[in-house]
């Protein structure tokens, strides 16, 4: 098991390094800089600003200095908000995105798994058709369509829920963004669960359990569900990546003060350090969840860690 | 199949695997309907601009937010008085083109990378696939955004950026397929019969790769269309007055309370396109790989 973890970490390290390197040089290759304003700054002022943030040093020195900072957990100061460090900005915005993502994945799991299991138990029944419909909807109707439509229906027309805004994470403000984010994930999860469940129900050990006269509920919950859900565990990483991507759009549409909304703005403003900090955090999060998924998979399925 | 036709009068014509696959695809109603829908959508994208008397970028300040079926505007007009029918056809054309070209880019890179790794094997394979692993874990949408921000958004860059992201899965599929094909008896038989390496790859490996690759291509096209729309929605994709499904939906979402048609029609076109490609992909998979059923 330890060797398994070590091997996974061995991939994660280089990945993070590639992420930082690519992001660093791409950001610097972009025309313009953080101190470009409507009116041009006097050259002396700009020079001073650059010197203050070390931007006047050769690029490779800046790169190494940045790497050193990341290793120490220091993401540097923001270039656009002089009184704030990148860590401050992350601390301020990350909780919004995290709460949104966590609520969405929980909702997607609850809906997707129950729908998938029920659909597999009653194949071609009403719920199966419903699950198929949800799966199609989740694939064909992207978040940036569902979000405005739901706002139009529940926000503007019925006025049951607010059109957007965070309001300290109040429940009414959370409902629409979470539903929009969860929908595509729930669609995928229900399909995975349905396929896994159908396979599990036909497996030998389930037939044995039935033959021993176990009640149907015990057969399904104790014997079929576990192997049926194994593929879901490895979907954790991709799901997290999908949620992060979705949050870029959802935070923009619902005007939520999360990382996603900040990312695009910071990139456009050439706030190098903030963009870098966010990419490192995002990449770290995806890697961590991938690792977690692999670990859980190795725990429930011994074949994985032995191979 | 050409050698079959050339052989002297076969007594009973056998059923090839391809015949079987076509028969299975024909029996799949969802896939057939999707093919029809896709043909219509393509026709609309190609001919659509001619269906409307107005060019897609003609601004008319006196005809702002005209509802559908009025004043000759079949689908109404937008906030600048531009005809939605013409814009929708243009947007569909751009989105389909991006889908096709970017998928082609990913196809070329993915097949070359995967087949090389799979066929050479050993340390080369190990190294090449570790690179794919590392790239796989990157949060790619962020890099695409950075790319757009850094170099400005032009259509060519969108092709390259999205194509460069999508080739990873393709290379994994191709490599896996090549690896398992290499072990098969008929390859060994071909080698025993004295066929050269190149001939084996051309005659036996590549034809057997076509199935899974075709399936993945039809599933990549909608993914690419979605990715482009996503960028356009964030304001980083196709730039106005040019249109893509993403920019149309984005603009429609802003004006939806005044003009619902600006959101509904592009969204429907988008959903129909994505659904059609997905059903065709599923149908192809079922037709080409009956084991999965």
């Amino acid at each position: 098991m330890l060797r398994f973890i070590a091997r996974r970490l061995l991939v994660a390290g280089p990945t993070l390094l590639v992420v930082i390197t690519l992001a660093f040089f791409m950001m610097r290759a972009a025309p313009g800089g953080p101190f470009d304003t409507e009116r041009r700054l006097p050259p002396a002022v700009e020079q001073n600003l650059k010197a203050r943030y070390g931007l006047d040093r050769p690029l490779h020195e800046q790169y190494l200095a940045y790497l050193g900072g990341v290793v120490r957990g220091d993401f540097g100061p923001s270039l656009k908000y002089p009184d704030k460090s990148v860590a401050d900005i992350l601390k301020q915005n990350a909780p919004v995105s995290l709460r949104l993502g966590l609520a969405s994945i929980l909702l997607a799991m609850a809906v997707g798994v129950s729908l998938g299991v029920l659909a597999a138990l009653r194949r071609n029944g009403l719920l199966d058709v419903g699950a198929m419909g949800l799966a199609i909807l989740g694939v064909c109707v992207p978040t940036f369509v569902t979000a405005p439509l739901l706002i139009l229906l529940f926000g503007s027309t019925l006025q049951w829920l607010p059109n957007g805004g965070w309001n300290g994470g109040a429940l009414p403000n959370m409902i629409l963004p979470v539903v929009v984010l969860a929908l595509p994930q729930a669609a995928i999860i229900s399909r995975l669960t349905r396929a896994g469940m159908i396979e599990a129900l036909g497996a030998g050990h389930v037939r044995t359990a039935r033959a021993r006269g176990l009640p149907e509920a015990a057969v399904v919950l104790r014997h079929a569900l576990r192997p049926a859900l194994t593929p879901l565990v490895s979907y954790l990483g991709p799901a997290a990546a999908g949620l992060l991507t979705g949050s870029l759009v959802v935070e923009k549409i619902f005007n939520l003060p999360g990382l996603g909304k900040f990312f695009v703005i910071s990139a456009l403003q050439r706030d190098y350090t903030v963009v870098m900090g966010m990419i490192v955090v995002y990449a770290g999060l995806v890697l961590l969840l991938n690792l977690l998924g692999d670990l859980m998979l190795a725990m429930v399925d011994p074949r994985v860690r032995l191979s | 199949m050409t050698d079959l036709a050339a052989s002297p009068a076969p007594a009973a014509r056998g059923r090839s695997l391809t015949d079987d696959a076509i028969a299975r695809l024909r029996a799949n109603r969802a896939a057939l309907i999707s093919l029809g829908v896709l043909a219509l959508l393509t026709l609309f994208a190609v001919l659509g601009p001619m269906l409307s008397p107005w060019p897609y970028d003609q601004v008319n300040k006196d005809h702002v937010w005209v509802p559908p079926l009025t004043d000759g505007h079949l689908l109404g007009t937008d906030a600048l008085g531009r005809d939605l029918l013409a814009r929708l056809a243009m947007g569909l054309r751009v989105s389909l083109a991006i889908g096709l070209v970017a998928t082609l880019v990913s196809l070329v890179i993915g097949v070359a990378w995967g087949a090389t790794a799979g066929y050479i094997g050993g340390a080369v394979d190990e190294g090449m696939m570790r690179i794919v692993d590392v790239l796989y874990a990157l949060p790619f949408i962020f890099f695409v955004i950075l790319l757009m921000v850094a170099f400005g958004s032009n259509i060519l860059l969108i092709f390259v950026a999205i194509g460069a992201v999508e080739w990873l899965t393709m290379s994994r599929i191709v490599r896996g397929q090549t690896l398992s094909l290499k072990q098969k008896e008929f390859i060994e038989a071909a080698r025993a019969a004295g066929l050269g390496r190149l001939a084996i790859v051309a005659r036996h490996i590549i034809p057997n790769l076509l199935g899974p690759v075709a399936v993945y291509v039809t599933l990549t096209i909608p993914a690419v269309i979605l990715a482009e729309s996503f960028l356009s929605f964030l304001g980083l994709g196709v730039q106005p007055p040019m249109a893509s499904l993403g920019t149309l939906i984005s603009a429609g979402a802003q004006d939806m309370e005044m003009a619902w048609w600006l959101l509904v029609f592009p969204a429907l076109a988008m959903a129909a396109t994505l659904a059609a490609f997905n059903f065709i992909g599923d149908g192809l998979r079922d037709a080409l790989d009956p084991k999965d059923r």
Side-chain angles (χ1 to χ4, degrees):
Chain A
M1 196 70 185
L2 269 176
R3 269 189 61 197
F4 178 82
I5 298 174
R7 217 168 47 213
R8 289 292 148 147
L9 282 177
L10 232 60
V11 179
T15 306
L16 212 52
L17 188 69
V18 171
V19 168
I20 295 174
T21 311
L22 269 180
F24 185 90
F25 288 105
M26 263 164 86
M27 205 60 215
R28 294 309 167 91
F35 308 119
D36 294 350
T37 41
E38 296 283 307
R39 267 181 307 154
R40 250 193 107 54
L41 290 171
V45 175
E46 197 178 334
Q47 200 49 46
N48 272 340
L49 273 172
K50 279 191 171 165
R52 185 173 155 210
Y53 293 110
L55 295 177
D56 54 345
R57 284 155 59 197
L59 205 56
H60 66 273
E61 267 181 40
Q62 291 183 41
Y63 170 68
L64 290 178
Y66 186 79
L67 273 188
V70 170
V71 170
R72 288 193 307 272
D74 175 15
F75 292 114
S78 161
L79 304 179
K80 278 282 167 187
Y81 302 89
D83 48 337
K84 280 186 184 168
S85 73
V86 174
D88 289 336
I89 291 177
L90 288 178
K91 248 180 253 159
Q92 196 183 333
N93 296 289
V96 174
S97 297
L98 282 181
R99 262 180 86 171
L100 217 56
L102 210 62
S104 303
I105 196 72
L106 287 178
L107 180 69
M109 286 285 245
V111 173
V113 168
S114 35
L115 207 57
V117 169
L118 291 173
L121 289 178
R122 302 248 186 289
R123 279 178 85 172
N124 299 322
L126 203 63
L127 268 171
D128 196 10
V129 174
M132 196 62 204
L134 177 77
I136 295 171
L137 214 69
V139 171
C140 306
V141 187
T143 41
F144 50 83
V145 173
T146 41
L149 284 180
L150 288 180
I151 292 178
L152 190 61
L153 180 61
F154 292 104
S156 307
T157 311
L158 295 172
Q159 307 222 320
W160 289 353
L161 295 166
N163 280 356
W166 181 239
N167 194 17
L171 189 65
N173 293 64
M174 293 264 294
I175 292 177
L176 284 183
V178 167
V179 168
V180 167
L181 265 181
L183 189 67
Q185 303 303 327
I188 297 171
I189 290 174
S190 75
R191 271 178 99 168
L192 283 175
T193 310
R194 179 178 177 274
M197 198 68 190
I198 286 174
E199 204 188 323
L201 284 174
H205 73 278
V206 171
R207 201 165 356 136
T208 310
R210 282 230 174 86
R212 287 204 336 245
L214 253 64
E216 184 65 20
V219 171
V220 171
L221 293 178
R222 279 232 304 275
H223 295 275
L225 198 57
R226 186 169 150 165
L229 291 187
T230 335
L232 268 194
V233 175
S234 45
Y235 180 64
L236 191 65
L243 281 179
L244 291 177
T245 315
S247 71
L248 285 177
V249 158
V250 167
E251 283 173 15
K252 184 183 172 184
I253 298 179
F254 289 97
N255 196 18
L256 305 174
L259 290 178
K261 191 177 163 231
F262 230 80
F263 178 78
V264 179
I265 296 173
S266 302
L268 286 170
Q269 290 182 338
R270 308 279 185 272
D271 198 339
Y272 299 142
T273 46
V274 172
V275 171
M276 294 290 304
M278 284 187 185
I279 289 187
V280 172
V281 166
Y282 267 123
L285 216 61
V286 171
L287 286 174
L288 189 73
L289 284 167
N290 266 324
L291 188 70
L292 221 63
D294 284 346
L295 280 183
M296 278 161 68
L297 193 65
M299 267 191 279
V300 290
D301 189 350
R303 282 170 304 183
V304 173
R305 63 172 177 265
L306 292 176
S307 71
Chain B
M1 254 133 286
T2 41
D3 42 352
L4 228 185
S7 64
R13 200 170 177 278
R15 281 166 65 87
S16 76
L17 286 172
T18 321
D19 292 341
D20 270 353
I22 291 174
R24 271 194 297 269
L25 193 62
R26 279 216 181 123
N28 187 332
R29 226 186 311 156
L32 276 191
I33 294 173
S34 298
L35 267 175
V37 170
L38 194 63
L40 285 180
L41 285 169
T42 314
L43 211 64
F44 175 58
V46 176
L47 300 178
M50 281 178 246
L51 297 177
S52 168
W54 296 275
Y56 76 96
D57 55 354
Q58 186 182 319
V59 174
N60 186 344
K61 292 278 188 222
D62 305 325
H63 277 80
V64 170
W65 287 332
V66 172
L69 297 175
T70 5
D71 297 343
H73 294 285
L74 264 183
L75 300 181
T77 63
D78 70 0
L80 294 175
R82 293 174 296 194
D83 183 56
L84 184 60
L85 184 73
R87 289 189 67 68
L88 192 59
M90 201 63 209
L92 196 59
R93 186 190 280 186
V94 169
S95 282
L96 285 176
I98 290 180
L100 284 176
V101 176
T103 302
L104 221 62
V105 173
S106 79
L107 180 73
V108 172
I109 308 177
V111 169
W113 193 274
T116 310
Y119 200 74
I120 296 178
V124 176
D125 176 34
E126 185 75 12
M128 285 175 88
M129 289 335 271
R130 276 303 86 75
I131 292 176
V132 171
D133 283 350
V134 168
L135 292 178
Y136 222 82
L138 298 184
F140 252 112
I141 196 75
F142 296 101
F143 283 100
V144 176
I145 290 174
L146 274 193
L147 210 63
M148 294 297 151
V149 170
F151 302 105
S153 31
N154 62 59
I155 292 192
L156 196 73
L157 198 61
I158 299 177
F159 288 150
V160 175
I162 299 178
V165 177
E166 297 286 344
W167 68 272
L168 295 169
T169 313
M170 183 75 79
S171 76
R172 278 188 176 175
I173 292 173
V174 170
R175 171 190 172 260
Q177 207 69 20
T178 312
L179 272 183
S180 77
L181 279 175
K182 249 183 9 185
Q183 318 283 328
K184 291 274 163 65
E185 286 90 348
F186 69 90
I187 301 282
E188 210 170 313
R191 202 174 295 139
L195 228 59
R197 245 189 170 186
L198 211 68
I200 291 179
V201 170
R203 185 74 186 83
H204 294 292
I205 305 251
I206 288 180
N208 279 297
L209 282 175
L210 282 182
V213 167
V215 172
Y216 190 67
V217 163
T218 45
L219 295 175
T220 302
I221 296 173
V224 170
I225 292 178
L226 204 57
E228 185 281 323
S229 306
F230 193 86
L231 288 175
S232 290
F233 191 88
L234 292 174
L236 299 168
V238 174
Q239 296 300 310
M242 207 31 144
S244 77
L245 290 180
T247 57
L248 290 175
I249 290 173
S250 171
Q254 274 162 26
D255 295 340
M256 65 182 174
E257 288 179 30
M258 274 77 72
W260 55 268
W261 55 91
L262 290 179
L263 175 62
V264 169
F265 293 124
L268 281 178
M270 177 89 166
T273 312
L274 296 183
F277 275 114
N278 276 297
F279 280 128
I280 295 170
D282 283 352
L284 270 180
R285 177 184 334 191
D286 291 345
L288 293 170
D289 190 4
K291 276 175 308 198
D292 261 8
R293 301 233 75 178

